[in-house]
Amino acid sequence: MKFLSRKATCNSHGQDSSYFLGWEEYEKNAYDEKTNPSGIIQMGLAENQLSFDLLESWIANNPDAAGFKRNGQSIFRELALFQDYHGLPEFKNALVQFMSQIRGNKVTFDPSKLVLTAGATSASETLIFSLANPGEAFLLPTPYYPGFDRDLKWRTEVEIVPIHCSSSNNFIVTKSALEDAYQRAQKRNLKVKGVVITNPSNPLGTTSTREELDLLVDFVQDKNIHLISDEIYSGTVFNSSPNKFISVAQVLKDRKLENSEVYKRVHILYSLSKDLGLPGFRVGALYSNDYTVVSAATKMSSFGLISSQTQYLLSCMLSDQKFTSHYIVENQNRLKNRYDKIVSGLRNAGIGVLPSDAGLFCYVDMRHLLSSNTFEAEMELWKKILYQVKLNISPGAACHCTEPGWFRVCFANMSEDTLSLALQRIKDFVDSTKRGDETRGASRSGRHSSRSVMSLTKKWVLRLSSNGHEPER
Amino acid sequence: MTEKDEEKQSKNKNKNKNKNKSDDSGGGGGSMRVIVPLQGVVQGRGGLVLGSIIPCALFYFLRLYLKRNRPPPSSPPHLSDSPSQSPSPSPSSPSHLSDLPRSHSRTLLSPRPSPALVSSRANSIVKAPESPYYSSRKTVLHDPYHPLTNPRGVLDLGLAENKLSLDLIEEWVVENGRDSIVGGGGGGGGGGELSIKGIATYQPFDGMLSLKVALAEFMSEVMERSVSFSPSQMVLTAGASAAIEILSFCLADSGNAFLVPSPYYPGFDRDIKLRSGVEIIPVTCRSTDNFNLSISALDQAFNQAKKKGLKVRGVLISNPSNPVGSILSRDMLYSLLDFAQEKNIHIICDEIFAGSIHGDEEFVSMGEVLDSVDFDRDRVHIVYGLSKDLSLPGFRVGVIYSFNENVLAVAKKMTRFTSISVPTQHLLISMLSDTKFIQEYIKTNKVRLRKMYADFVAALNKLGIRCTKSSGGFYCWADMSGLIRSYNEKGELELFDKLLNVAKINVTPGSACHCIEFGWFRCCFTTLTEKDIPVVIERIQKVVETCKS
């Protein structure tokens, strides 16, 4: 392997961890309602399959869009030859409009500040390439999307320094946690270039509060660094309370920061993989008020342009505002129903969930089911749930969570019946565990690991923090 | 003297912040050690060396302390204040340079931290003077030629788009396209229900297996069945540029280099260098050899690189070549393999124009050569794509074909950043599986290419402009050195400018392709129709006349 580059042979793509096991097992024994009813149910994949019918009917009713036609005229040639890295103008216009709609039209976006990429993965990496040099660092609140280890660090050679958040305050980012992370970075002689937040959060599903966003803007203003807000789940906010999702763009507007220095250092990432449930289409975008960033990123996007066919199809769909307004609302309702269902199902099994407002998953508290407050126990529980309960869920350690026992469970990538079955399996499992505990009673010597939590944390953070699975978001 | 000493003592104490006040009483001894040599200096005695070293040392430490605690000096001002929305950076003007000392001193005065920097990569992208290859695109886009609506517009002979056979593809898509994109029914006729699930959800990032199978077949067909490709050795990317970039990331570290025969495709500068930081070392080819590659030139370039301390990791060849359009002989391919083995480096073969052969020479793929010879295949990688042979640059389809399992494994992971959109994959699976259509298409396309090439070259010849013999691809490599005023890059660019802004023809100057000889221009003939040729010739003629006068 010496024949290859360092990047090729190192492990920082983070895709080698034992977490892969879950995916492999699922693939070997995938649940199917008819053909394999006792198979493993996939609850580790954050895909939105709830609203496909809406998309299908739109496409069926608008044949021109998928047929390379505009007003009945074929524009196939134009599209076949279109490879301009500035993107199809009608698509960018439609996309910024959609982004605005998702934010209740409280903010507007300028298409000239938008850079299109093949998926949010490409957008994140391109943004980091534009903002940071090798060896510099970004601060990320934990727990965070495992893919960031690959997207932000691998080919860019940039470091991630975690901002430790805890369940004691629902994992909200605090000033002291920010400062602490910053200090830790400095101690490691890392130059901090910015903070990356995911709002709504993955894996938590919570939306950042106004206070948090103000704090973050103040912090980056003070330290003279960047703020990246990954708002890929912005269209999955199912909490009906109007101000639940606040985009960082809104904060900048409300605080009238358009002419300030910090304005140019706030960047937004987006994609249609979650809101529209179209991850296969590979549509991502980065939005920046800094034209240097936009210009550099535009050129870099050459390495991951969106197929013109897809750009055109989606430009038609997203310009249909009647459709998009209806879709946004209907999608959110369906997500809410699922969320309610899973929360009550889990509650029924005595399992609590972190209160959340968005996303395709919920953050589930299974600390009381751990044999000990360690990541080893978390892995043990995860394996049990995978092999015995036959559910593939994501352990918190894969997301760099500092507290063992939390799991991310997806609810939008299956039918309602499958979800019911999954909940039933969980209930049965918990009940049997309780019964098991009762029979064993006091004779349990409680073989707790005598090793310290810290050393185990290190082990598991190392092994699992580089998350396995590909589409896992 | 004593007073002076005490003065010096206090001065030294001020300088040396580590000494604390309580040292005053007992500090006499410590400071005496400093004072005595100074005294010695003052009195012109021995201690001269120490007496000069110690103040120097103290001064050095003072500077170091100040440096550590001083805010970092501000960077060169970035262009974010220029709100121009065009992506082209203005070439660095003197005003930027004069800005530097001013802001530097401003920082020293005000302790506020400087504005956050973007990466140096971003800065260099934005600031680099743009190659005419890219900058002329704007002129073209603003004023594109149309025989009826804009007959005085710019004729684009700069971008390799094959418009000759696009009608065939369009026809196919109109007849078969829609059902192949969405639908469990598939096939023509509109049967089956629309099911988006199959195209919307995550698919393997390195491409759907059925597309790999279809592409392997297509590649084989395009190369006239002289070689067969295995889908399991393919990794699909969103465009061939991404394929080249991924190989750069896999095969070399930042600061290493690839040997690339020149003149070469201007896009390589971006594909190889931009983010992976791999250098390009041009390997000179000359008109006396018809710009053919020689192993001795490769060897020379390799040795020169070694002398400069640059580690060469591979050779990148394009076959058929861009811009010249020549084809590598079988012997040359064997020699290249030997060279790579001898130097222990990789070979990347960009065969993106393999299906666009218009000459009489036989095209030999590296894949074919490897089939017939016992060679360490781990070092050979082929790049392909559908932007040229199938005229579909907008759909972003690239292929990395490698014999090296490790490279395939890593490249596969990197496709996470650059996957082909699934609806497009479905469309192509359908299209490429229509063998009858594909065979017809390849055949017709070659015929049209051949005719257009012949007509265009003949027309240029009539003007006294000679072209290098080319067997494949979309270009004529034309010798306009007779028309340039001064035999240097400036002269060449002047002619380029005249052609673009006066004659309104966009061609690519040889310097953009890193050609070592001046006056060569790359002219793409596949964007033209039969009727356009006389228009082009007429316009060039005007320039020829003004040059001669």
Side-chain angles (χ1 to χ4, degrees), chain A residues 122-154:
Chain A
S122 179
S124 319
E125 197 201 33
T126 298
L127 186 54
I128 300 297
F129 266 124
S130 306
L131 297 179
N133 294 329
E136 295 180 337
F138 280 86
L139 310 180
L140 264 71
T142 65
Y144 62 78
Y145 162 54
F148 278 151
D149 286 325
R150 167 200 59 215
D151 302 349
L152 309 185
K153 287 169 49 173
W154 186 20

Side-chain angles (χ1 to χ4, degrees), chain B residues 323-340:
Chain B
V324 180
S326 52
I327 291 181
L328 292 174
S329 67
R330 200 181 286 268
D331 282 339
M332 176 51 80
L333 291 172
Y334 283 128
S335 307
L336 276 167
L337 289 175
D338 288 335
F339 179 79

Side-chain angles (χ1 to χ4, degrees), chain B residues 237-282:
Chain B
T237 60
S241 291
I244 303 251
E245 196 199 32
I246 287 182
L247 284 172
S248 304
F249 272 121
C250 288
L251 307 178
D253 293 317
S254 180
N256 293 157
F258 286 153
L259 298 176
V260 184
S262 72
Y264 61 78
Y265 161 54
F268 281 157
D269 285 325
R270 173 199 59 195
D271 298 349
I272 292 175
K273 295 194 212 174
L274 191 60
R275 303 194 298 188
S276 60
V278 175
E279 285 300 324
I280 291 182
I281 296 173

Side-chain angles (χ1 to χ4, degrees), chain A residues 128 130-133 136-139 158-159 182 190-195 220 223-228 265 267, chain B residues 115-120:
Chain A
I128 300 297
S130 306
L131 297 179
N133 294 329
E136 295 180 337
F138 280 86
L139 310 180
V158 154
E159 279 304 320
Y182 193 83
L190 291 170
K191 180 171 180 194
V192 175
K193 247 10 219 305
V195 180
V220 304
K223 302 282 191 230
N224 257 296
I225 58 179
H226 297 273
L227 176 61
I228 299 175
R265 298 203 304 276
H267 321 277
Chain B
L117 300 170
V118 295
S119 67
S120 11

Side-chain angles (χ1 to χ4, degrees), chain A residues 193-214:
Chain A
K193 247 10 219 305
V195 180
V196 181
I197 59 165
T198 308
N199 175 28
S201 161
N202 176 5
L204 304 175
T206 53
T207 49
S208 301
T209 61
R210 168 104 34 195
E211 291 73 36
E212 259 181 300
L213 292 170
D214 280 336

Side-chain angles (χ1 to χ4, degrees), chain A residues 1-9 13 15-16 45-47 49 52 55-57 59-60 63-64 66-69 74-77 79-86 110 112 118 121-122 125-126 128-134 136 145 150-151 154-157 191 193 222-226 261 264-265 273-274 277-282 290-293 295-296 298-310 313 317 470-473, chain B residues 78-89 112-123 125-126 130 134 141 159-163 166-167 169-170 173-174 177-178 181-182 194-197 199-203 205 238 241-242 245-246 248-254 270-272 274-276 313 344-346 376 378-379 387-388 391-396 404 406-407 410 412-414 416-425 427 431:
Chain A
M1 286 283 266
K2 252 199 218 148
F3 198 36
L4 302 187
S5 67
R6 276 193 295 269
K7 286 193 184 88
T9 50
H13 52 70
Q15 292 174 198
D16 267 349
L45 176 57
E47 254 186 11
Q49 297 184 10
F52 280 154
L55 300 172
E56 279 161 6
S57 71
I59 293 178
D64 274 8
F68 301 94
K69 290 202 178 110
S74 171
I75 52 165
F76 176 77
R77 281 184 162 234
L79 292 175
L81 297 175
F82 185 83
Q83 52 176 327
D84 185 356
Y85 52 34
H86 294 102
D110 179 353
S112 71
T121 303
S122 179
E125 197 201 33
T126 298
I128 300 297
F129 266 124
S130 306
L131 297 179
N133 294 329
E136 295 180 337
Y145 162 54
R150 167 200 59 215
D151 302 349
W154 186 20
R155 307 191 302 181
T156 57
E157 299 180 86
K191 180 171 180 194
K193 247 10 219 305
D222 179 52
K223 302 282 191 230
N224 257 296
I225 58 179
H226 297 273
E261 268 176 41
K264 292 203 183 110
R265 298 203 304 276
S273 300
K274 309 296 175 187
L278 300 172
F281 279 38
R282 310 313 301 139
D290 181 336
Y291 281 109
T292 306
V293 173
S295 174
T298 302
K299 295 202 166 82
M300 290 190 212
S301 70
S302 307
F303 302 113
L305 298 178
I306 305 176
S307 167
S308 57
Q309 170 191 13
T310 303
L313 168 58
M317 193 188 283
E470 296 289 5
E472 154 76 90
R473 246 241 187 221
Chain B
H78 40 97
L79 296 175
S80 48
D81 32 5
S82 57
S84 64
Q85 299 182 4
S86 77
S88 84
R112 224 164 21 96
S114 59
L117 300 170
V118 295
S119 67
S120 11
R121 213 181 263 106
N123 266 326
I125 292 176
V126 166
E130 206 172 31
Y134 293 109
L141 287 169
L159 188 62
E161 284 174 351
N162 181 5
K163 292 183 181 164
L166 205 46
D167 56 316
I169 310 226
E170 182 170 28
V173 168
V174 163
R178 208 173 77 80
I181 306 165
V182 290
L194 199 73
S195 161
I196 210 176
K197 187 161 178 187
I199 56 162
T201 52
Y202 285 107
Q203 300 292 336
F205 290 101
S241 291
E245 196 199 32
I246 287 182
S248 304
F249 272 121
C250 288
L251 307 178
D253 293 317
S254 180
R270 173 199 59 195
D271 298 349
I272 292 175
L274 191 60
R275 303 194 298 188
S276 60
R313 295 304 284 267
N344 192 25
I345 57 178
H346 293 272
D376 175 14
D378 270 3
R379 54 178 87 251
S387 303
K388 310 296 178 192
S391 312
L392 298 173
F395 288 5
R396 315 313 303 147
N404 185 322
N406 294 323
V407 169
V410 181
K412 185 174 170 176
K413 294 188 170 90
M414 289 192 182
R416 191 68 172 82
F417 300 104
T418 179
S419 291
I420 307 175
S421 192
V422 176
T424 303
Q425 293 196 50
L427 175 63
M431 193 191 292

Side-chain angles (χ1 to χ4, degrees), chain B residues 435-471:
Chain B
T435 349
K436 189 157 160 269
F437 164 71
I438 291 294
Q439 281 171 348
E440 266 307 308
Y441 171 84
I442 294 174
K443 209 171 75 185
T444 312
N445 187 39
K446 279 190 184 157
V447 166
R448 292 181 183 180
L449 277 172
R450 208 182 159 99
K451 177 151 201 315
M452 189 62 74
Y453 173 77
D455 290 350
F456 189 66
V457 169
L460 282 179
N461 283 341
K462 281 211 187 94
L463 282 180
I465 297 174
R466 203 178 57 84
C467 295
T468 310
K469 178 169 177 295
S470 136
S471 309

